[in-house]
């Protein structure tokens, strides 16, 4: 029997309802729990996140060195440009605009509460069939 039955990424923020709404839309998730100080969601792929109320929460400053990464999330996507439009439309903001080269292409963003996350496009290296 597993000792741990689920892992949940928890982000502290001033307004958990608003941050949960951002990630619910972005991840096509459903709300699984809500209380006065915490909202939990579960994505279609099973990813679980929670948002905990903390009136003193300080967002990470990344890419600036002071108070840099506290944690960040990598989100795998098929189309960076299309998902970027959704992120910006939901209230997220770009943290950097440089174009990553090589087999991985990624872009950094902040959610509406300032937590950093990366949209990452992994190109297949398998030979084409047919």
């Amino acid at each position: 029997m597993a000792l741990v039955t689920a892992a949940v990424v928890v982000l502290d923020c001033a307004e958990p309802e608003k941050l949960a709404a951002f990630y619910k839309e972005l991840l096509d998730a459903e709300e699984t729990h809500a209380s006065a100080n915490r909202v939990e969601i579960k994505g279609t792929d099973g990813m679980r996140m929670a948002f905990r109320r903390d009136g003193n929460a300080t967002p990470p400053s990344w890419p600036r060195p002071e108070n840099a990464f506290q944690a960040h999330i990598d989100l795998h996507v098929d189309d960076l440009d299309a998902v970027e439009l959704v992120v910006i439309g939901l209230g997220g903001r770009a943290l950097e605009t440089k174009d990553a080269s090589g087999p991985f292409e990624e872009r950094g963003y902040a959610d509406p509460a300032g937590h950093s996350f990366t949209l990452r496009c992994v190109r297949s290296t398998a030979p084409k069939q047919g």
Side-chain angles (χ1 to χ4, degrees), residues 77-100:
V77 301
D78 291 326
D79 185 335
L80 282 169
D81 294 331
V83 179
E84 178 177 89
L85 292 174
V86 172
V87 166
I88 301 303
L90 291 170
R93 64 182 170 83
L95 293 177
E96 59 178 296
T97 56
K98 69 177 182 176
D99 203 17

Side-chain angles (χ1 to χ4, degrees), residues 57-129:
T58 303
S61 62
W62 185 86
R64 296 184 319 272
E66 68 278 0
N67 194 29
F69 276 135
Q70 295 171 0
H72 82 280
I73 302 165
D74 279 353
L75 302 174
H76 293 198
V77 301
D78 291 326
D79 185 335
L80 282 169
D81 294 331
V83 179
E84 178 177 89
L85 292 174
V86 172
V87 166
I88 301 303
L90 291 170
R93 64 182 170 83
L95 293 177
E96 59 178 296
T97 56
K98 69 177 182 176
D99 203 17
S101 60
F104 300 103
E105 189 175 352
E106 60 184 42
R107 297 178 191 159
Y109 300 87
D111 65 28
H115 302 101
S116 58
F117 64 95
T118 302
L119 297 181
R120 184 180 197 96
C121 183
V122 181
R123 295 199 170 97
S124 173
T125 57
K128 290 186 178 182
Q129 301 291 320

